[in-house]
Each structure stands twice: as C-alpha cells, then as structure tokens.
Amino acid sequence: MIENENKKLSEELSDEQLDQVSGGASQDMGWMDDGIPSHWAVTCANCGLQFFVRSNKDCPSCANKEVILTYNNNKPIYDSDRHGGY
C-alpha cells in the first residue's frame, strides 16, 4: 500500500488500461433489436435493471430497448426463464 502512495497516477485511465479492468469500460451501448446473444446479461440504459436477454426483446421492467452490454456481479440479475426470480 505504501508503494502505491508514492507512485504518480494519471487522472484517467487509457482505453488500454480500462480494458484490463474487470468488465472493461462498461459503457458499450446496444439495442435489443441488434441481435444480442440470448445468454448475455445486460443492464437497461433507462432504469438500470440487469437481466438476461434470453426471450426478452426489451427491458422487463420499463420496456426500454437500449442497454449497456455489461453488468455488475454484485447486483441481482433478473431471469425471466426462472419465473420472475432474481
């Protein structure tokens, strides 16, 4: 920890550095109509619900079609195939 305090760190990470962080930049946007693979979990760009694409053609919560193509492991992911369970 003391070593890190002595290093001069830049204000922002470069694109290459962001790719090394788990989950990447996490701001890649997509539309549900664009053929996102059904096994992916995504985050709704409108309400923030995380859900598996599966049979959903839009967000199960707000019907928004714009999504962020990543998710947060620390939050529940809605799975419509499990009868509405998280």
Side-chain angles (χ1 to χ4, degrees), residues 9-75:
L9 301 176
S10 60
E11 292 291 319
E12 296 181 10
L13 297 176
S14 68
D15 288 340
E16 184 180 335
Q17 290 169 318
L18 279 173
D19 288 340
Q20 294 173 8
V21 176
S22 177
S26 77
Q27 292 303 314
D28 291 335
M29 305 296 282
W31 294 90
M32 294 297 289
D33 296 337
D34 289 344
I36 298 171
S38 63
H39 64 280
W40 282 23
V42 297
T43 304
C44 176
N46 183 50
C47 72
L49 178 73
Q50 298 186 143
F51 62 96
F52 284 105
V53 174
R54 302 206 200 288
S55 60
N56 297 304
K57 302 299 179 195
D58 51 26
C59 174
S61 176
C62 69
N64 181 44
K65 291 187 177 293
E66 187 177 19
V67 293
I68 301 171
L69 301 177
T70 56
Y71 64 94
N72 181 342
N73 282 336
N74 297 319
K75 292 174 61 177

